[in-house]
Amino acid sequence: MQVLRLDLHVHTIRSYDGHTRVEDLPSLIRDKGLDGLAITEHDNFDPPSFADVLILPGIEVTSRNGHVIGLGVRERIPPRLSADETIREIHRQDGVAVIPHPFDPVCECVKIARLTVKPDAVEVINADALSFHISNWLAKRDAKKFNLPQVGGSDSHIPQSIGDAYTLVQCEGRDADSLIQAIRAGRVRASGHPTSVMNKLRKLGYRFK
């Protein structure tokens, strides 16, 4: 077994609101001290592939009830399904369904208590959450209540904030299948810190360029 440090919530320019260039990912992963990351574009599935760089394919789907992340999926999942239908589709593709930022006041949030299909994990540390400490504390409370693995991600939209939050994954290999199995089995631990005010301002600056 090995422990890998992965940012499981990253957007690039392939998201409508992302500003990180895809070609910069290998150097960013190295510079941030990560072993890899998950690309989770908004309603877009076009994962890059690099030699000797661990990229977990994913997508952040806009369901009718809020956002749902699918990790390890094989193809795009359409938006505007219900959250339950979205989770079923992720499972059909042998991926894991993660509920991101369930209590961020400015995001579209899925409420786990209202689901009839069980997700596979909860994002309990989202570095970009507006009310970082309160919203992440509530997410941890729900993860414990519903006995779900706890993961972390930066929700980065700019290169400077990649790796602000991450997940320590205990797995047997460095491939997508090993990572998915480890997340599903709960061999994960969330860690990280809030994105700095400076980087939040940078994000706004990118948006207005």
Side-chain angles (χ1 to χ4, degrees):
M1 285 283 188
Q2 60 189 319
V3 177
L4 301 180
R5 180 170 168 156
L6 303 164
D7 187 340
L8 294 182
H9 193 166
V10 173
H11 299 278
T12 75
I13 57 173
R14 294 176 180 172
S15 282
Y16 68 89
D17 57 353
H19 306 283
T20 298
R21 298 188 305 175
V22 174
E23 61 267 29
D24 291 340
L25 290 174
S27 60
L28 286 166
I29 289 169
R30 182 186 65 247
D31 294 345
K32 298 288 187 172
L34 298 169
D35 294 294
L37 49 78
I39 299 296
T40 55
E41 312 292 14
H42 291 292
D43 301 319
N44 182 26
F45 184 73
D46 187 19
S49 179
F50 301 99
D52 302 320
V53 176
L54 180 55
I55 300 288
L56 183 62
I59 185 171
E60 185 169 7
V61 184
T62 307
S63 82
R64 292 199 304 269
N65 310 107
H67 293 171
V68 181
I69 287 178
L71 299 177
V73 296
R74 300 187 295 271
E75 59 188 30
R76 180 179 181 269
I77 297 167
R80 309 315 301 170
L81 301 173
S82 71
D84 287 320
E85 290 170 320
T86 302
I87 294 170
R88 287 193 190 97
E89 178 59 23
I90 293 168
H91 289 165
R92 186 188 70 79
Q93 296 188 30
D94 297 322
V96 292
V98 179
I99 304 302
H101 46 66
F103 290 96
D104 190 339
V106 298
C107 291
E108 296 178 84
C109 302
V110 170
K111 299 307 178 190
I112 299 170
R114 299 176 186 172
L115 293 171
T116 61
V117 179
K118 189 174 182 180
D120 301 286
V122 183
E123 184 183 67
V124 301
I125 299 183
N126 179 297
D128 198 44
L130 180 64
S131 53
F132 179 87
H133 296 288
I134 295 173
S135 59
N136 289 327
W137 180 84
L138 291 170
K140 289 178 183 179
R141 185 193 64 178
D142 261 18
K144 292 176 182 177
K145 178 179 179 180
F146 296 101
N147 193 29
L148 291 166
Q150 303 181 26
V151 299
S154 64
D155 200 355
S156 172
H157 292 72
I158 62 172
Q160 292 89 345
S161 59
I162 288 176
D164 282 353
Y166 54 90
T167 305
L168 297 172
V169 184
Q170 186 179 28
C171 55
E172 296 181 356
R174 295 179 63 92
D175 57 282
D177 288 342
S178 295
L179 292 171
I180 292 304
Q181 291 174 17
I183 295 169
R184 192 178 285 129
R187 298 195 302 270
V188 291
R189 182 166 64 86
S191 189
H193 57 80
T195 293
S196 68
V197 173
M198 179 60 70
N199 280 337
K200 285 183 179 292
L201 292 173
R202 281 196 178 104
K203 180 180 173 182
L204 288 173
Y206 275 102
R207 187 175 298 175
F208 290 112
K209 281 184 179 179

